Amino acid sequence: MKDAAHLIRLAAVFAAGFIAFLLIRQALVPAGFGKYGHFRAGALDDIRARKVSFAGREQCAICHDDRVKELHAGKHAGVGCEACHEAQAKHAQLDDPSTGKPVLPDTKVLCARCHEKNNAKPRGFPQVATAEHSGGEPCKSCHNPHSPKL
Amino acid sequence: MNELVQSVQGFMYPDEVELQWSVLIVLYPFITGLVAGAFILASLERVFNVEEVKPTYRLALLTALAFLIVAPMPLQLHLGHPERSFEMFLTPHKTSAMAMFGFVYMWYLMVVLVVEIWLEFRRDIVMAARTTRGLLGFVYRLMTLGSMNISERALAIDDKTGWIITIIGIPSAFLLHGYVGFIFGSIKANPWWSTPLMPVVFLFSAMVSGIALVMLMYMATTWLRKRTIDMRCLDTIARYMFYTFVIDFSLEMLDLIHRIYQSDESFQSLDFMVHTRLWMSHVVLQIVIGTVVPLLMLAATQVLPLRDAVRRAIYASSGGLTLIGIFAMRWNVVIGGQLFSKSFLGYTTYKMALTTREGLLTSIVLMILPFFILWALVKLLPPWWETSGTKTAGGAHGSAV
């Protein structure tokens, strides 16, 4: 046993390290961790306290029902309002939304994001070489973005 | 973004345009592979009693430790916020392979390598603690843990314990590098990675690279110390490297043939990539220069009666080429797997930066750093008995040069 004393010392060093780790763990792991899953329970309240950015289509439809109906009838039925008009929760929450009107998107840039011609896109997907197709004119000069089919 | 889009050919989904895993993620499996390989070479002598490789035993252990200390650094630099990495120990996530790796790493570093090295060098540490003064003497005394007992019985206990640790260490080394392959092989969305062969291929390539590194280190240190190379040792190491390399190459070719014969929906895209963007790194560097050439050179030493000097030159050059080939293999897996689109209709480009956090200079520093650490370790714990001042071959277990 005397000749194995150094191994006991080594084991003691490891045990001390392990105990130190447990103490550090106790001090550093935030309260509520693991209550609902592998995260800090308090994070839910923190997230809930953050401001909402997107209003959602239902909110838009309260005032812009005509536009939403037009959108639903056309090819862009699946595209959310805020996909083109940016997050508008701030605008929707105003007492008088007309005092903070959102800026209209530049259709020259916006439409090309999806419809610029690329040979690798599926054949049936509407796409144009915008430089040749419109010669720099904004798309909305001819197309209604809410119902683009001419 | 415009600059990035210019590097795209065909169609890519937006999140595929920019590569997320840089050259640092290439370094990480390369370095862990060297660790696992070096340790497995050391265990050859310890567990399987291959007496010939004895002169490299201690050097292999110190090399493994030096590289293991550097292994997580590329990950830390890639992720940023290194202080957060400690959290995976505080709140372990049992279903995440990446998170559990922290424990594999810690187990391997502390329980396997540090303990085995301590047991192996304890006799030398105690003797140095008795004779060295000053700060270094204090470090040695600290390393003895206050026990100066180096009686025959105590050393025999060390030897037995070290043997048990090595037995535990072999599956641990397999786990360490098998895991790295698992991380890639288990990604089902990526056909370039997703194969159950990946952990096995990574493991064998790790063994090849680790053996090559220790062989080169042994040759270099012997040359620097102006000693004669033990050709019996070198021949044995080269023979093991050759055998392991044959298995590794066979597995990689099996994977390749399987892919070609299966020709699933990804094949055309991957085939195009290998013939264009990966031609240089995959076919030329990895397969031809880094595998076929060193294999043929090593095969020549097995069948032809060559002079010692010629064999040494062949071992040195084939070792160097092997390391280049294995590095290219890591590059092709990590970078190659991100160059093509999952739509199989487009390809992107990886342009390595020079001075950024994940750039070329950082990679070079990370590759040189283990050699500095090894130099410091060798100064502290000389692996050759002449300089450690002991008459018998260093420690209870021994490492005669």
Side-chain angles (χ1 to χ4, degrees), chain B residues 302-321:
Chain B
Q302 301 300 309
V303 290
L304 300 174
L306 300 168
R307 282 185 297 118
D308 285 2
V310 178
R311 289 211 309 284
R312 276 198 297 272
I314 289 180
Y315 294 153
S317 42
S318 60
L321 289 178

PDB file of all heavy atoms in Angstrom, chain B residues 302-321:
ATOM      1  N   GLN B 302       9.574  -2.753 -48.703  1.00  0.00           N
ATOM      2  CA  GLN B 302       9.191  -4.077 -48.189  1.00  0.00           C
ATOM      3  C   GLN B 302       9.722  -5.218 -49.063  1.00  0.00           C
ATOM      4  O   GLN B 302       9.954  -6.310 -48.579  1.00  0.00           O
ATOM      5  CB  GLN B 302       7.653  -4.208 -48.105  1.00  0.00           C
ATOM      6  CG  GLN B 302       6.971  -3.178 -47.227  1.00  0.00           C
ATOM      7  CD  GLN B 302       7.452  -3.235 -45.793  1.00  0.00           C
ATOM      8  OE1 GLN B 302       7.470  -4.295 -45.179  1.00  0.00           O
ATOM      9  NE2 GLN B 302       7.879  -2.086 -45.276  1.00  0.00           N
ATOM     10  N   VAL B 303       9.883  -4.931 -50.370  1.00  0.00           N
ATOM     11  CA  VAL B 303      10.262  -6.031 -51.265  1.00  0.00           C
ATOM     12  C   VAL B 303      11.692  -5.934 -51.807  1.00  0.00           C
ATOM     13  O   VAL B 303      12.261  -6.943 -52.214  1.00  0.00           O
ATOM     14  CB  VAL B 303       9.270  -6.147 -52.461  1.00  0.00           C
ATOM     15  CG1 VAL B 303       7.917  -6.659 -51.992  1.00  0.00           C
ATOM     16  CG2 VAL B 303       9.131  -4.830 -53.198  1.00  0.00           C
ATOM     17  N   LEU B 304      12.258  -4.718 -51.827  1.00  0.00           N
ATOM     18  CA  LEU B 304      13.601  -4.573 -52.409  1.00  0.00           C
ATOM     19  C   LEU B 304      14.661  -4.477 -51.311  1.00  0.00           C
ATOM     20  O   LEU B 304      14.432  -3.864 -50.268  1.00  0.00           O
ATOM     21  CB  LEU B 304      13.666  -3.312 -53.287  1.00  0.00           C
ATOM     22  CG  LEU B 304      12.703  -3.262 -54.478  1.00  0.00           C
ATOM     23  CD1 LEU B 304      12.789  -1.896 -55.159  1.00  0.00           C
ATOM     24  CD2 LEU B 304      13.006  -4.370 -55.468  1.00  0.00           C
ATOM     25  N   PRO B 305      15.835  -5.070 -51.556  1.00  0.00           N
ATOM     26  CA  PRO B 305      16.918  -4.954 -50.560  1.00  0.00           C
ATOM     27  C   PRO B 305      17.623  -3.599 -50.712  1.00  0.00           C
ATOM     28  O   PRO B 305      18.591  -3.480 -51.453  1.00  0.00           O
ATOM     29  CB  PRO B 305      17.841  -6.126 -50.922  1.00  0.00           C
ATOM     30  CG  PRO B 305      17.578  -6.392 -52.362  1.00  0.00           C
ATOM     31  CD  PRO B 305      16.234  -5.874 -52.732  1.00  0.00           C
ATOM     32  N   LEU B 306      17.128  -2.591 -50.017  1.00  0.00           N
ATOM     33  CA  LEU B 306      17.689  -1.239 -50.177  1.00  0.00           C
ATOM     34  C   LEU B 306      18.645  -0.912 -49.023  1.00  0.00           C
ATOM     35  O   LEU B 306      18.485  -1.404 -47.910  1.00  0.00           O
ATOM     36  CB  LEU B 306      16.551  -0.216 -50.195  1.00  0.00           C
ATOM     37  CG  LEU B 306      15.515  -0.399 -51.315  1.00  0.00           C
ATOM     38  CD1 LEU B 306      14.293   0.474 -51.064  1.00  0.00           C
ATOM     39  CD2 LEU B 306      16.134  -0.057 -52.668  1.00  0.00           C
ATOM     40  N   ARG B 307      19.607  -0.054 -49.329  1.00  0.00           N
ATOM     41  CA  ARG B 307      20.573   0.354 -48.308  1.00  0.00           C
ATOM     42  C   ARG B 307      19.877   1.231 -47.258  1.00  0.00           C
ATOM     43  O   ARG B 307      18.846   1.850 -47.540  1.00  0.00           O
ATOM     44  CB  ARG B 307      21.714   1.129 -48.951  1.00  0.00           C
ATOM     45  CG  ARG B 307      22.732   0.217 -49.655  1.00  0.00           C
ATOM     46  CD  ARG B 307      23.916   1.009 -50.182  1.00  0.00           C
ATOM     47  NE  ARG B 307      23.502   1.980 -51.193  1.00  0.00           N
ATOM     48  CZ  ARG B 307      23.640   3.298 -51.057  1.00  0.00           C
ATOM     49  NH1 ARG B 307      24.165   3.799 -49.958  1.00  0.00           N
ATOM     50  NH2 ARG B 307      23.274   4.108 -52.031  1.00  0.00           N
ATOM     51  N   ASP B 308      20.491   1.308 -46.072  1.00  0.00           N
ATOM     52  CA  ASP B 308      19.888   2.075 -44.974  1.00  0.00           C
ATOM     53  C   ASP B 308      19.598   3.526 -45.378  1.00  0.00           C
ATOM     54  O   ASP B 308      18.524   4.049 -45.107  1.00  0.00           O
ATOM     55  CB  ASP B 308      20.822   2.081 -43.758  1.00  0.00           C
ATOM     56  CG  ASP B 308      20.789   0.734 -43.045  1.00  0.00           C
ATOM     57  OD1 ASP B 308      20.082  -0.168 -43.543  1.00  0.00           O
ATOM     58  OD2 ASP B 308      21.477   0.591 -42.013  1.00  0.00           O
ATOM     59  N   ALA B 309      20.590   4.165 -46.008  1.00  0.00           N
ATOM     60  CA  ALA B 309      20.438   5.578 -46.363  1.00  0.00           C
ATOM     61  C   ALA B 309      19.267   5.762 -47.327  1.00  0.00           C
ATOM     62  O   ALA B 309      18.493   6.726 -47.211  1.00  0.00           O
ATOM     63  CB  ALA B 309      21.728   6.097 -46.996  1.00  0.00           C
ATOM     64  N   VAL B 310      19.128   4.831 -48.266  1.00  0.00           N
ATOM     65  CA  VAL B 310      18.021   4.930 -49.244  1.00  0.00           C
ATOM     66  C   VAL B 310      16.694   4.745 -48.521  1.00  0.00           C
ATOM     67  O   VAL B 310      15.736   5.486 -48.749  1.00  0.00           O
ATOM     68  CB  VAL B 310      18.187   3.857 -50.359  1.00  0.00           C
ATOM     69  CG1 VAL B 310      17.030   3.914 -51.342  1.00  0.00           C
ATOM     70  CG2 VAL B 310      19.521   4.034 -51.077  1.00  0.00           C
ATOM     71  N   ARG B 311      16.639   3.758 -47.625  1.00  0.00           N
ATOM     72  CA  ARG B 311      15.391   3.514 -46.888  1.00  0.00           C
ATOM     73  C   ARG B 311      15.023   4.739 -46.045  1.00  0.00           C
ATOM     74  O   ARG B 311      13.866   5.150 -46.001  1.00  0.00           O
ATOM     75  CB  ARG B 311      15.521   2.287 -45.988  1.00  0.00           C
ATOM     76  CG  ARG B 311      15.575   0.971 -46.754  1.00  0.00           C
ATOM     77  CD  ARG B 311      14.966  -0.184 -45.979  1.00  0.00           C
ATOM     78  NE  ARG B 311      15.471  -0.335 -44.617  1.00  0.00           N
ATOM     79  CZ  ARG B 311      16.662  -0.848 -44.293  1.00  0.00           C
ATOM     80  NH1 ARG B 311      17.472  -1.274 -45.271  1.00  0.00           N
ATOM     81  NH2 ARG B 311      17.040  -0.955 -43.048  1.00  0.00           N
ATOM     82  N   ARG B 312      16.027   5.342 -45.415  1.00  0.00           N
ATOM     83  CA  ARG B 312      15.757   6.540 -44.597  1.00  0.00           C
ATOM     84  C   ARG B 312      15.163   7.651 -45.465  1.00  0.00           C
ATOM     85  O   ARG B 312      14.195   8.299 -45.070  1.00  0.00           O
ATOM     86  CB  ARG B 312      17.040   7.025 -43.921  1.00  0.00           C
ATOM     87  CG  ARG B 312      17.351   6.310 -42.629  1.00  0.00           C
ATOM     88  CD  ARG B 312      18.346   7.104 -41.793  1.00  0.00           C
ATOM     89  NE  ARG B 312      19.638   7.257 -42.459  1.00  0.00           N
ATOM     90  CZ  ARG B 312      20.641   6.380 -42.362  1.00  0.00           C
ATOM     91  NH1 ARG B 312      20.486   5.291 -41.632  1.00  0.00           N
ATOM     92  NH2 ARG B 312      21.776   6.572 -42.978  1.00  0.00           N
ATOM     93  N   ALA B 313      15.764   7.839 -46.644  1.00  0.00           N
ATOM     94  CA  ALA B 313      15.269   8.890 -47.549  1.00  0.00           C
ATOM     95  C   ALA B 313      13.842   8.577 -47.975  1.00  0.00           C
ATOM     96  O   ALA B 313      12.985   9.470 -48.036  1.00  0.00           O
ATOM     97  CB  ALA B 313      16.187   8.993 -48.763  1.00  0.00           C
ATOM     98  N   ILE B 314      13.583   7.310 -48.260  1.00  0.00           N
ATOM     99  CA  ILE B 314      12.224   6.923 -48.681  1.00  0.00           C
ATOM    100  C   ILE B 314      11.232   7.136 -47.542  1.00  0.00           C
ATOM    101  O   ILE B 314      10.143   7.680 -47.739  1.00  0.00           O
ATOM    102  CB  ILE B 314      12.202   5.441 -49.158  1.00  0.00           C
ATOM    103  CG1 ILE B 314      12.941   5.322 -50.492  1.00  0.00           C
ATOM    104  CG2 ILE B 314      10.771   4.925 -49.287  1.00  0.00           C
ATOM    105  CD1 ILE B 314      12.985   3.924 -51.059  1.00  0.00           C
ATOM    106  N   TYR B 315      11.622   6.740 -46.326  1.00  0.00           N
ATOM    107  CA  TYR B 315      10.713   6.908 -45.190  1.00  0.00           C
ATOM    108  C   TYR B 315      10.412   8.390 -44.951  1.00  0.00           C
ATOM    109  O   TYR B 315       9.264   8.762 -44.705  1.00  0.00           O
ATOM    110  CB  TYR B 315      11.313   6.297 -43.913  1.00  0.00           C
ATOM    111  CG  TYR B 315      11.462   4.793 -43.961  1.00  0.00           C
ATOM    112  CD1 TYR B 315      12.439   4.145 -43.212  1.00  0.00           C
ATOM    113  CD2 TYR B 315      10.617   4.021 -44.758  1.00  0.00           C
ATOM    114  CE1 TYR B 315      12.576   2.762 -43.252  1.00  0.00           C
ATOM    115  CE2 TYR B 315      10.755   2.641 -44.802  1.00  0.00           C
ATOM    116  CZ  TYR B 315      11.733   2.019 -44.063  1.00  0.00           C
ATOM    117  OH  TYR B 315      11.862   0.661 -44.108  1.00  0.00           O
ATOM    118  N   ALA B 316      11.468   9.214 -45.028  1.00  0.00           N
ATOM    119  CA  ALA B 316      11.273  10.648 -44.777  1.00  0.00           C
ATOM    120  C   ALA B 316      10.338  11.251 -45.816  1.00  0.00           C
ATOM    121  O   ALA B 316       9.383  11.966 -45.481  1.00  0.00           O
ATOM    122  CB  ALA B 316      12.608  11.365 -44.775  1.00  0.00           C
ATOM    123  N   SER B 317      10.607  10.933 -47.098  1.00  0.00           N
ATOM    124  CA  SER B 317       9.777  11.551 -48.143  1.00  0.00           C
ATOM    125  C   SER B 317       8.365  10.964 -48.152  1.00  0.00           C
ATOM    126  O   SER B 317       7.393  11.705 -48.316  1.00  0.00           O
ATOM    127  CB  SER B 317      10.440  11.442 -49.516  1.00  0.00           C
ATOM    128  OG  SER B 317      10.993  10.173 -49.677  1.00  0.00           O
ATOM    129  N   SER B 318       8.239   9.648 -47.929  1.00  0.00           N
ATOM    130  CA  SER B 318       6.886   9.083 -47.942  1.00  0.00           C
ATOM    131  C   SER B 318       6.098   9.566 -46.723  1.00  0.00           C
ATOM    132  O   SER B 318       4.891   9.799 -46.816  1.00  0.00           O
ATOM    133  CB  SER B 318       6.918   7.555 -48.000  1.00  0.00           C
ATOM    134  OG  SER B 318       7.593   7.059 -46.881  1.00  0.00           O
ATOM    135  N   GLY B 319       6.778   9.769 -45.598  1.00  0.00           N
ATOM    136  CA  GLY B 319       6.106  10.317 -44.414  1.00  0.00           C
ATOM    137  C   GLY B 319       5.570  11.716 -44.686  1.00  0.00           C
ATOM    138  O   GLY B 319       4.423  12.032 -44.357  1.00  0.00           O
ATOM    139  N   GLY B 320       6.418  12.551 -45.296  1.00  0.00           N
ATOM    140  CA  GLY B 320       6.006  13.915 -45.632  1.00  0.00           C
ATOM    141  C   GLY B 320       4.829  13.919 -46.598  1.00  0.00           C
ATOM    142  O   GLY B 320       3.839  14.639 -46.400  1.00  0.00           O
ATOM    143  N   LEU B 321       4.929  13.094 -47.637  1.00  0.00           N
ATOM    144  CA  LEU B 321       3.850  13.035 -48.641  1.00  0.00           C
ATOM    145  C   LEU B 321       2.557  12.524 -48.003  1.00  0.00           C
ATOM    146  O   LEU B 321       1.465  13.004 -48.319  1.00  0.00           O
ATOM    147  CB  LEU B 321       4.247  12.111 -49.802  1.00  0.00           C
ATOM    148  CG  LEU B 321       5.336  12.639 -50.739  1.00  0.00           C
ATOM    149  CD1 LEU B 321       5.664  11.604 -51.802  1.00  0.00           C
ATOM    150  CD2 LEU B 321       4.922  13.947 -51.398  1.00  0.00           C
TER     151      LEU B 321
END
